[in-house]
């Protein structure tokens, strides 16, 4: 025993006193560089953009049930190659992506044996890394990842834009965490949210620019992670809490060896443009299966956001089908309780009626097995394969387009596997999937061809629940554009044209934002299937120009450009569908936003259609031309919007 202890101490001393190994590699364009080192036996990395540090020396490594792979490691080599890819994807912010990155596989050993590889990918704006974990001995084929040392140390002077993770098993019917908490803006680092860390993605304003941190490629082979503060500007990957899902499942990850973990991603820039325009979440993953059919996308309506639970009856859903047909929309979302208020037989009848009008149905489901008390039905249909597949076969036979599954609440591996199982089964029956009360999607648009979007944000339902959400709508809208929607499709369910969130448009919470704001967020908020918060009465009580716009606005996009903005204050971006560009802006600041915006996507002297608000939020539409410098001077009042279309 004494000899073994002496040997271990000597080995540790040798690791600490040996000369550290350091490797540096760059993105293909040379702008981004990463330096990896093993000083003191501790694996670490740091990131620079054009020579300026954006992420300081930060720990790497994992703790396994067979050993600690965060210390006592030696960097042997980094094998550097160039990786190229090209793909087309209708459901994200840019339909065609050409991807080129530097890949560096940095090999770490422990006591002379391969311990783990840290695999880096670098482009001119994105940095990602993941681990390849080897076993503690040759005949080891499975293991448990207990935690990660993976950290992000931001420079001094950083401020944060973060969404706190909530304690599990609280909130409505014990459904937390539901990933629907408000952000803080320009906050100081050193906090840990409400004690449970922060929900991805996490945005930081560093002295030289911006960094957004998230993850991608997570499926049933790992846990979904969050970001926890370790003091000051050091943020570390956090695992789920053991109380999630009412204690069912472990908060650790069971993996097959050798194991590849999900990617930890960083997008950085001196402006917000790289963050708004990045496609990194999908660049790093591959489809897990082929689409069972040619999935289509488009606009839809849903009654619940305005008329709530009582509207889920046959007659009102038929009214919304007629409304969708009048708008030329693709679908109607039939929300919770339809199994008892309408029933399966009449839903089949309703689906046939909808199809006769050129409209399809999405049906709401509760995800629940035993992890919360949410009473809404249908329940116990999505959590077990045999029941789920029978239900999906019934949907396929009756022409249902897709499902909206709600109330997940948790990031344990068991829950991540449920997401994957629902998606995989749904594809076999030609069904598209939307998730609510759910975690952030992590590259799922590309991984699962029938995946559409997730909520994972303080979404439109809160506008019905309380006036405070309505008062803060513009501030939140100016946040989601730069954070939540920058990394994945977001099912917000907004763009209301009612003045009040009620059936008669005469009571309930009061919408503070303008009609032009509603049009602008139809462009700002990206999801390939959009169920807008419109109501049948809007055909007669909303401005004709607003209805005309909402009839033709696309939901799938070919390109995106950041023009201007600041999280929580204002946002102006542009999206392209085919040869048509849509410039959309909103303002949350008390003072009117006055900007001269350069619009290079429009040729000089091109006639432009401009939707704008006056100081009293009265919207109008007019034709203008930009000046010879391809510029347009605009003013957006508080809670107002702007849309420019060629």
């Amino acid at each position: 025993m004494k000899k073994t202890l002496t040997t271990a101490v000597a080995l540790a001393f040798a690791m600490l006193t040996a000369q550290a190994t350091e490797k540096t590699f760059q993105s293909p364009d040379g702008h981004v560089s990463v330096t990896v080192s093993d000083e003191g036996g501790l694996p670490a990395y740091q990131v620079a953009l054009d020579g300026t540090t954006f992420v300081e020396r930060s720990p790497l490594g994992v703790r396994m049930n067979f050993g600690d792979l965060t210390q006592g490691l030696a960097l042997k080599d980094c094998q550097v190659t160039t990786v190229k890819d090209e793909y087309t994807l209708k459901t994200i912010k840019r339909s065609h992506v050409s991807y080129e990155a530097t890949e560096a596989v940095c090999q770490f050993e422990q006591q002379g044996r391969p311990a783990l590889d840290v695999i880096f990918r670098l482009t001119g704006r994105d940095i990602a890394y993941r681990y390849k974990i080897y076993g503690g001995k040759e005949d080891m084929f499975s293991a448990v990842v207990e935690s990660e040392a993976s950290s992000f140390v931001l420079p001094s002077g950083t401020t944060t834009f973060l969404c706190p993770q909530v304690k599990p098993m609280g909130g409505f019917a014990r459904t937390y965490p539901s990933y629907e908490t408000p952000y803080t803006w320009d906050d100081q680092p050193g906090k840990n949210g409400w004690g449970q860390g922060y929900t991805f993605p996490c945005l930081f304003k560093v002295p030289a620019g911006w960094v957004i941190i998230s993850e991608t490629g997570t499926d049933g082979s790992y846990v979904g992670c969050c970001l926890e503060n370790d003091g000051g500007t050091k943020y570390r990957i956090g695992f789920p809490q053991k109380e999630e899902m009412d204690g069912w499942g472990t908060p650790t990850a069971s993996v097959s060896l050798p194991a590849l973990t999900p990617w930890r991603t960083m997008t950085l820039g001196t402006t917000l443009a790289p963050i708004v325009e990045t496609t990194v979440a999908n660049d790093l993953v591959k489809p897990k299966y082929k689409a069972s059919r040619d999935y289509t996308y488009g606009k839809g309506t849903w009654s619940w956001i305005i008329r709530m639970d009582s509207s889920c009856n046959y007659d009102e859903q038929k009214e919304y089908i007629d409304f969708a047909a009048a708008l030329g929309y693709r679908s109607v979302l039939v929300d919770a309780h339809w199994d008892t208020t309408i029933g399966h037989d009449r839903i089949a009848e309703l689906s046939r009626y909808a199809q006769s009008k050129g409209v399809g149905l999405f049906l709401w489901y509760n995800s629940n097995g035993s992890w919360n008390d949410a009473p809404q039905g249908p329940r116990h249909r999505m959590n077990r394969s045999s029941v789920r597949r029978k239900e999906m076969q019934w949907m396929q036979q009756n022409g249902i387009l897709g499902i909206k599954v709600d109330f997940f609440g948790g990031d344990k591996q068991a829950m991540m596997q449920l997401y994957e199982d629902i998606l995989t089964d749904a594809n076999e029956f030609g069904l598209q999937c939307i998730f609510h009360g759910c975690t952030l999607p992590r590259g799922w648009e590309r991984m699962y061809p029938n995946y559409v979007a997730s909520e994972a944000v303080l979404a439109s339902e809160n506008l019905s629940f309380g006036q405070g959400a309505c008062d803060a709508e513009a501030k939140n809208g100016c946040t989601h554009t730069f954070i939540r929607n920058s990394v994945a499709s977001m099912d917000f369910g907004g763009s209301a044209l009612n003045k009040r969130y009620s059936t008669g448009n005469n009571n309930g919470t009061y919408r503070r934002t303008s009609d032009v704001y509603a049009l602008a967020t139809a462009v700002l908020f990206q999801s390939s299937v959009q169920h807008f918060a419109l109501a049948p009465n809007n055909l007669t009580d909303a401005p004709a120009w607003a209805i005309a716009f909402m009839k033709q606005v696309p939901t799938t996009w070919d390109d995106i450009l950041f023009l201007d903005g600041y999280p929580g204050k204002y946002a102006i971006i542009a999206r392209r569908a085919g040869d048509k560009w849509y410039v959309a802006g909103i303002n949350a600041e008390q003072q009117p936003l006055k900007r001269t915006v350069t619009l290079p996507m429009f040729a000089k002297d091109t006639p432009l259609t401009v939707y704008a608000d006056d100081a009293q939020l009265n919207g109008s539409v007019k034709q203008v031309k930009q000046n010879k410098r391809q510029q347009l001077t605009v003013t957006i009042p508080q809670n107002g919007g702007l849309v420019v279309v060629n």
Side-chain angles (χ1 to χ4, degrees), residues 45 69 175 368 580 639:
Y45 76 101
L69 305 183
T175 56
N368 201 13
K580 195 166 188 175
N639 294 324

Side-chain angles (χ1 to χ4, degrees), residues 38 42 48 106 109 113 178 182 239 290 294 484 523 539 643:
D38 63 358
L42 303 175
C106 296
E109 292 184 354
R113 294 175 53 87
S178 53
F239 274 23
K290 292 184 178 180
D294 183 17
R484 167 63 182 87
V523 177
L539 291 174
V643 178

